[in-house]
Amino acid sequence: MENMQELYDARLKRVADAVALKEPDRIPIVPVFQAFPVYYAKKWTIKDIMYDYRKATDVYDIFYDHYKPDLGWDPILFYPANYMEKSGITWFKWPGNQIEEDNIMYQFIEGEYMKEDEYEEAILDITKFMMNKWIPRSFKNLSGLSKIDFRNSMWFGHMGEFAAFSDPEVISTLETLVETGKMLMDWFIYLGEYQAHMKEKYGMPPLYAGFAYAPFDMIGDSMRGTREILMDMYDHPEELLRLIDVMTEFAIKDTIAGCSGKAVPYVYYWLHKGVDSFMSDEQFKKFYWPSLRRYLTEVAEAGLVPVVYVEGAYNDRLEYLKEVPAGKVIYNFEYTDMAEAKKVLGGHSCIAGNVSAVDLTYGTREKVIEDCKWLIDTCGPGGGYIMDTGTMVDDAKPENIDAMFETCFTYGAK
C-alpha cells in the first residue's frame, strides 16, 4: 500500500524543484480543471453541486480515483448557490439562476459598478466606497450598507451614526450578512475538510493558498468594466493610476496575511486585460505592469510563490516578466509561444502550460501526445517547466486527458 504522506511530500518537492529551476524526477503536472470533474463523473450536475456542495465530494473522488495530478483542486470553483441567492448577487448567473440548463458553467456579468465620476471618492476612502456604493450595487439584498458611515463617530458623533441601525433596510441587510456569513463559513469548513481528505486518501496537496488579480484588473473586471477602463486610460489616466496605487497597497498586505502559513505557498494570479491585443506596449508599461510587478515581488519576498495565469497571449510582454525575483514565480501561459517563453524566461522563472484546451476537447489522442512531447522537449530541459492546460478545462475528451497524464508520467520522467 502506498504511503500517502510520502506521496504528498514527493509531489510537493516535485513542484518546488520546478519552481526553483531544478530538474525534478519528472515533469510535474498541475492541470487547472473547472467543470471537467463534473462531466467526467456523470453523477451530479453543476446545479446539483452548487445547491448542495457536499455532493462535490463524490465527483472529485471519482475524478481523483483515476487522475493523479501533483497538486489538485478542491471544489472551490463551485460556489454555494444558497449564499449567492441570499445575498442577491447581481453580477453572476448559474444553473438555477438565469441559466436554464443544469450542467452549464456559471457566467460572470460585467457591468459598471463604479461610475466614471467616482474615482476621487474611491481614492479618498476605498473602504467607504466599497461599503456604500460597490456592495449595494453588487448585492441587491445588502442595500442597507449604503446608509452606514462610521467616519464621524468620534465623541458624540457616534449617536447619529448608530441611529442608522434602526432603519429597516439596514436591519434587513445586517440579518442577511449574518446568514450569508454562516453559509460561507460552513462552505470554507467543507473545503478544508476536503483538502484533508485529499491528503489522507490520495496523498495530494492542494493547488492554491489563495487567489489574486492584477491591480488594473481589480478595477477593470469588477468596478469599471473592460470598455470603460480601457477608455479611462485616455480620459482619466491620473485618477486611474492613483486608484491602482490604492488597490495595490491593500492587495499586497491582504494577500500576504491571508496566504501565509497555508499547506502550499502558491498564490494564483488571474491576468485578464494586459494581453497583447488589449493595450499597447506603452500602456502596459504605464498602467498595467508596474503595480503587478510590485505585487508579485513583495508577495514572493514574503515567501509565497505567485502563479501568474497569463490568459491570452503575452508574446510582446515576455521581457517584462523577468523583472521579478528569479526562481520565485511561475508563469502559466495560455496562447504565448512556449519556445520563446523558454528562451526568454528559462533560467529565470518557471513556466507552465499550454496544452491546448481546444485539442483536449476536439483533437485526437495522438495530437495531444504530440503536443505534450513537444512541450516537454522544448520547455523541460534544465528544469523550470510544469505541465498544465492552456486554460481551465470543461468538456474535454477523457481519452485526451488520459493522454496528457500518461505522456507526462512516462515521457516526462528522467
Side-chain angles (χ1 to χ4, degrees), residues 219-278:
I219 301 167
D221 289 353
S222 63
M223 296 174 71
R224 289 291 291 132
T226 300
R227 181 186 63 184
E228 287 76 15
I229 196 170
L230 295 180
M231 292 295 293
D232 289 348
M233 290 192 294
Y234 296 96
D235 297 336
H236 302 282
E238 297 309 314
E239 294 99 324
L240 175 56
L241 287 170
R242 287 165 59 208
L243 185 56
I244 287 172
D245 286 343
V246 170
M247 306 299 274
T248 306
E249 194 69 35
F250 77 75
I252 291 170
K253 293 176 181 177
D254 287 357
T255 299
I256 293 173
C259 297
S260 298
K262 297 290 184 68
V264 295
Y266 304 111
V267 182
Y268 268 68
Y269 288 71
W270 309 95
L271 304 191
H272 296 145
K273 294 175 171 55
V275 295
D276 294 345
S277 56
F278 266 29

Side-chain angles (χ1 to χ4, degrees), residues 199-215:
K199 181 176 182 179
E200 179 181 345
K201 185 173 182 179
Y202 300 107
M204 189 178 300
L207 178 145
Y208 67 92
F211 302 102
Y213 301 88

Side-chain angles (χ1 to χ4, degrees), residues 35 38-39 44-47 95 100-105:
V38 180
Y39 297 156
W44 304 110
T45 65
I46 292 171
K47 180 180 179 181
E100 294 183 2
E101 297 87 348
D102 290 351
N103 223 20
I104 298 296
M105 206 63 190

